Amino acid sequence: MREAGLAYALVLPSLVVFGAFIFYPFVRNFYLGFFRTPPFPGLPKKGVGLTQYREVLTSHDFLNSVKVTVLFAVYTVPTGIAAGLGLAVLAHQKLRGIGIYRTIFSSTVATSVAVASVIFGTLLNPNVGLLPWLGLQTNPSILQNPSWALLAVAITTIWQNLGLSFILMSSGLQAIPDELLEAAQIDGAGAWSRFRNVIVPLLSPTIFFAVVVGSIFAFQSFGQIELLTQGGPTKHTNVLTYFIYTTLQQQQDDGKAAVLAIALFGITLLLTLVQMRLLERRVFYAR
Amino acid sequence: MTEAARGDVDVDGAGIAVSLREVTKTYDNGVMALGPIDLQVRKGELVSLLGPSGCGKSTALRIIAGLEAPTSGTVRIGSRVVNDVEAKDRDVSMVFQTYALYPHMSVQRNIEFPLKSRGMPRDERATRVREAARGLGLEGLLDRKPAQLSGGQRQRVALARAIVRRPAAFLMDEPLSNLDAKLRVQTRAELIELHRRLAATVVYVTHDQVEAMTMGDRIAILDRGVLQQIGPPQAVYDEPANLFVAQFIGSPSMNTIGARVVADSEAVAVELPGARIMLPAPTGAAVARAGADDVVLGVRPEHVRIDGGQLPATVSVVESLGHERHVVCRLDDGTMVIVREAADASPARAGDAVGLSVPSEHLHVFDAGSGRRVAV
Ligand SMILES: Nc1ncnc2c1ncn2[C@@H]1O[C@H](COP(=O)(O)OP(=O)(O)OP(=O)(O)O)[C@@H](O)[C@H]1O
Ligand SMILES: [Mg+2]
């Protein structure tokens, strides 16, 4: 009994922290969504129940934003994982000097979103950038181009996450015993067959983890949008987080922003649950 | 190098399944794991590679398999030089010490994998897998994953995966070392049967001399990357090429006693601590021819007798194993001599002063400097 009491006492501080910074704001946010923000500051807020939820969640802007966010995730997550895995397999060789490549491949871990965005912003800049210098100029310039802007942001993101993806996949590869790959070699499997039949299945828990966490990251990306495109051109890169940000900061509409935030939370949660159900069945866990 | 220490059996290469010629291996870190070694394995033969830990057994096997490239020398499978052939195209199969079963595949798919990799049609694959599984008593386990098998069963799956393809040679790296003692003896017998039934060529790495002796048609003994001797087990036991082999093969190992050669006009004798022994004429002549002053005498424990012989010793410990006894004696200078005798032999007890005798036909003579056998 006394031990149980002690246990509760020890859990209490974290409960307080969680309560204050997570549960309370979450419930409060949900509640805020019931109130319409007045057109002029100073006027009283008006409780409208679920009406605001319905309006916002069916609005064209919201649906566009969901579409952009999903596209952004689709562009970045599989490609990022595939690239990290590819590099990890390449670097997983007993060659002299391979350590240099490992360092290079993992170096983007040390770059923040801001650094990556500045680098790519400069590379893609129509006046001083690399692409114009190579003669690959689009009109309007890439970051202002409705067809290319989201892709450019996605590429920046993939590049910035590559180091992490590489390290994650490398550590997964390290855990596969060399003997299994040697056995496969002797069993007549070429490089591709070893990759498909041994590496990928044994790496599936790592890949699964990367897909789930990567998707959550993708849905919460903000910095590169703010620095590269500010949601434009004409909302073509207006991902949900950016939409929430502008709604709150520029339009000062905290009611609508609250609804959007709840929606983002709901979508992310749903996506994660679906992935867990669908993918987990295909994952091999060695016991 | 003496004739016996070379692995030559066949000069023209016909009838040879695996051959290493002047093969050396120096790892990237500078470790010279394999001195130049020559080894020929005949078709249908089981050769045990025996030696202490770190002597290069696995390295030799991995070079044959193609998992490691030799630093120099020629590797052949059959008559084909395979130095530049990838492991997957070498037509050998391997059983690893840890079995290396694919943990995500069922037993069925594990056994099938080598066939699938080589593009064998599905129904032929099924037949082959069934055959291999039947031969090793795995029929009931085909749907299980490796994690759901016992150590012995895993070992069988690894064997099944190796035999299913009927390769030119089987390479086995201490395949029994993860089994408990009882299962090891049983599996050893099964492996021998399997080898006979399939007329399979096997290179079998072990550091267990009993395994090597019982399984090998020939055994090759390695020490520090150098082949010490190769030959049929009995020949190696009876005529070890040097002190290393003499002491490595046999349990308890061969007694060795330092001695001085004293030659006069009629005969050659050796002076031991506390005694002088005349060498039989041919041995004596060989020793005289070798011109060595210092030799090491070797005698197997089962050949020493406690019978009031001319070599004085003191019994220090008597170890009884039930069916036999090991009597540990010390000569005057402290040299240990172990006598192996029947459990009901004359009861020597610790502390007794005894006289040992050594039949001269069982005396091995080695050069004290080089350790080499003084050939008769
Ligand atoms: N990949 C490697 N890199 C560097 N040195 C190695 C490597 N593999 C083995 N060695 C060294 O080469 C020598 C021979 O090793 P090997 O594995 O062939 O020995 P072994 O006879 O199989 O020993 P054991 O009975 O312990 O398995 C050892 O000194 C070992 O440390
Ligand atoms: Mg080894």
Side-chain angles (χ1 to χ4, degrees), chain B residues 2-150:
Chain B
T2 65
E3 189 68 26
R6 301 239 315 264
D8 300 359
V9 278
D10 208 329
V11 184
D12 59 7
I16 298 293
V18 176
S19 137
L20 298 180
R21 281 260 174 230
E22 306 267 304
V23 166
T24 67
K25 175 70 185 179
T26 306
Y27 281 107
D28 282 348
N29 59 2
V31 175
M32 171 105 182
L34 224 47
I37 96 164
D38 281 281
L39 177 70
Q40 262 76 48
V41 183
R42 298 185 197 104
K43 286 192 176 127
E45 186 182 34
L46 192 155
V47 169
S48 312
L49 268 185
L50 176 66
S53 188
C55 71
K57 307 180 293 287
S58 297
T59 303
L61 205 67
R62 292 167 59 81
I63 286 175
I64 299 173
L67 296 174
E68 213 77 65
T71 306
S72 67
T74 314
V75 184
R76 284 192 178 82
I77 311 277
S79 53
R80 178 168 72 136
V81 175
V82 293
N83 284 46
D84 296 324
V85 178
E86 271 187 79
K88 74 182 179 71
D89 302 319
R90 283 205 182 183
D91 196 23
V92 295
S93 62
M94 187 152 168
V95 178
F96 291 81
Q97 182 174 352
T98 54
Y99 313 141
L101 299 178
Y102 309 117
H104 56 293
M105 297 184 193
S106 63
V107 169
Q108 159 96 25
R109 288 189 54 216
N110 261 284
I111 302 176
E112 196 179 22
F113 189 68
L115 305 178
K116 216 169 165 180
S117 296
R118 287 179 170 75
M120 182 183 283
R122 179 185 290 270
D123 19 329
E124 200 179 338
R125 277 193 330 238
T127 320
R128 287 274 199 103
V129 170
R130 228 176 304 119
E131 263 171 42
R134 182 154 3 97
L136 286 156
L138 291 169
E139 293 116 312
L141 307 173
L142 287 175
D143 291 330
R144 298 223 196 143
K145 293 271 172 67
Q148 299 160 329
L149 300 175
S150 72

Side-chain angles (χ1 to χ4, degrees), chain B residues 303-315:
Chain B
H303 295 140
V304 189
R305 283 198 296 268
I306 306 177
D307 58 359
Q310 56 175 325
L311 190 59
T314 312
V315 176

Side-chain angles (χ1 to χ4, degrees), chain A residues 64-116:
Chain A
N64 168 67
S65 190
V66 170
K67 189 186 98 184
V68 168
T69 311
V70 169
L71 267 182
F72 178 73
V74 168
Y75 288 163
T76 53
V77 178
T79 324
I81 292 172
L85 179 57
L87 288 182
V89 170
L90 283 184
H92 189 68
Q93 322 236 349
K94 285 180 209 119
L95 291 181
R96 222 172 275 211
I98 199 78
I100 298 170
Y101 288 92
R102 285 200 194 116
T103 313
I104 294 175
F105 294 159
S106 39
S107 62
T108 69
V109 170
T111 50
S112 64
V113 177
V115 173

